Amino acid sequence: MIATMVVLTPTVLHTRSTPWTMGWVTILLGALVVQMLLVLVEHLAPAADRPEPDDLPQA
């Protein structure tokens, strides 16, 4: 969805409807922010298949 919006943005910016263009850009930026937050959460969350250091058996 974001890729499609990025591709279509130049066409939208050439229209003369300023409120519609502002809405388009706002939705695009919001979608990008949500995508970045999802990537950040995935990066910070511990992997489910990797045990925590406290759960490892002592040798």
Side-chain angles (χ1 to χ4, degrees):
M1 178 187 88
I2 294 174
T4 303
M5 289 184 75
V6 169
V7 169
L8 293 176
T9 295
T11 304
V12 171
L13 293 178
H14 288 290
T15 63
R16 300 289 181 213
S17 177
T18 303
W20 195 83
T21 303
M22 292 298 292
W24 179 274
V25 172
T26 302
I27 292 170
L28 175 63
L29 292 176
L32 289 172
V33 168
V34 168
Q35 190 71 27
M36 286 189 292
L37 286 173
L38 289 173
V39 169
L40 179 65
V41 167
E42 181 181 348
H43 177 72
L44 294 177
D49 59 348
R50 189 176 64 212
E52 292 293 326
D54 295 337
D55 296 339
L56 295 175
Q58 298 298 326

